[in-house]
Amino acid sequence: MEPEPLEPLPEDWARALCVVAHPDDMEFGAAAAVARWTGQGKDVTYCMVTSGEAGIDGMEPDECRRVREAEQVASAAEVGVPVVEFLGLADGVLEYGVPLRAAIAHVVRRHRPDVVITGNFRDTWGGNNLNQADHVATGRAVVDAVRDAGNRWVFHDQLTDGLEPWGGVKAVWAFGSPLAGHAVDTTETFEAGVRSLEAHRAYIDGLGWEDFDAREFLEGFGRQTGQRLGVAMAAAFEVFPMGWGE
């Protein structure tokens, strides 16, 4: 049976905010798409909920935090993203709930994006491989925080020094979701996505992936998704509209 075709994502927007749990999350599924959008002149900002300080077994968390933050800034630059924020929450033990929603709502209110991008927060990646707890907590919180950000009476204490509610987010897009129904053509920006992932060298080495090939890894998913979109390479997203009845 042929896989279901994917619909192209709309590109009639100017500003995106990407909120993910860890440094490297964007690069394993969406960096080439970001390179396409920054190449169109769109404004894209990254926000890392943690600094990934628990991600390398052989490196103490304080040193790991420094290394991984630096790698993420360099990685973002490869795809035209000049701003990377780190919220500094504890890696590996994120919990979905009001504090996490509040932290993300504050970022949304500050940046006032048209689109918010996060990673897959379904229980699995489409098979038996379970998703990681931080990914699930972050993605669920992102969807709710986007709605919180538009409500003046939710997290009202944030509205100081001219900060206002922001209800202008059209949709949340979750890359890598097994329920993705949309995609974006990354054929022309695939190599930028590869360079962006390769910038996480210390993390990849720390995992013991001696034979890991970033190009080969990304190409497998990119070609498979591209086939469903009718192009050579693509990145898939699940779309969560923020309007009523959509």
Side-chain angles (χ1 to χ4, degrees), residues 2-246:
E2 288 292 319
E4 288 290 324
L6 298 168
E7 297 182 34
L9 282 173
E11 294 184 321
D12 57 343
W13 51 274
R15 185 179 296 112
L17 172 67
C18 304
V19 182
V20 292
H22 315 109
D24 82 80
D25 285 352
M26 290 295 300
E27 289 68 47
F28 275 98
V34 170
R36 171 187 172 95
W37 295 323
T38 59
Q40 295 171 346
K42 301 184 190 303
D43 181 348
V44 181
T45 297
Y46 281 3
C47 175
M48 309 288 125
V49 175
T50 80
S51 295
E53 69 276 7
I56 302 177
D57 184 71
M59 189 179 292
E60 290 292 330
D62 286 345
E63 174 67 6
C64 188
R65 179 182 295 106
R66 184 190 66 77
V67 169
R68 298 202 67 195
E69 286 186 358
E71 287 191 336
Q72 183 58 68
V73 170
S75 175
E78 292 287 352
V79 292
V81 176
V83 177
V84 182
E85 295 188 5
F86 299 91
L87 297 186
L89 278 68
D91 183 21
V93 291
L94 292 178
E95 292 183 303
Y96 171 82
V98 171
L100 184 55
R101 283 168 48 191
I104 296 171
H106 191 255
V107 178
V108 172
R109 285 170 167 171
R110 286 192 291 107
H111 289 283
R112 304 172 76 81
D114 305 309
V115 174
V116 174
I117 296 163
T118 192
N120 171 38
F121 56 97
R122 299 295 183 179
D123 289 340
T124 74
W125 298 97
N128 294 324
N129 291 325
L130 290 173
N131 201 349
Q132 199 264 354
D134 284 357
H135 300 158
V136 176
T138 297
R140 286 185 59 205
V142 164
V143 171
D144 289 336
V146 164
R147 291 178 291 193
D148 295 334
N151 188 326
R152 180 175 299 278
W153 307 116
V154 176
F155 310 131
H156 183 65
D157 60 306
Q158 296 177 356
L159 304 181
T160 61
D161 299 324
L163 189 66
E164 289 290 327
W166 177 246
V169 177
K170 300 175 182 178
V172 173
W173 297 346
F175 63 85
S177 170
L179 300 182
H182 292 73
V184 59
D185 184 353
T186 58
T187 305
E188 298 300 321
T189 54
F190 174 75
E191 290 299 327
V194 172
R195 292 193 301 272
S196 192
L197 179 54
E198 288 176 339
H200 293 277
R201 192 72 258 168
Y203 176 63
I204 292 169
D205 289 347
L207 293 175
W209 295 355
E210 295 180 3
D211 298 323
F212 179 77
D213 185 317
R215 179 174 286 99
E216 181 180 23
F217 177 87
L218 293 173
E219 187 171 352
F221 291 105
R223 289 198 182 281
Q224 192 174 56
T225 304
Q227 184 178 20
R228 296 175 64 190
L229 189 64
V231 298
M233 295 282 190
F237 294 79
E238 183 175 3
V239 172
F240 298 88
M242 289 294 106
W244 290 101
E246 295 184 37

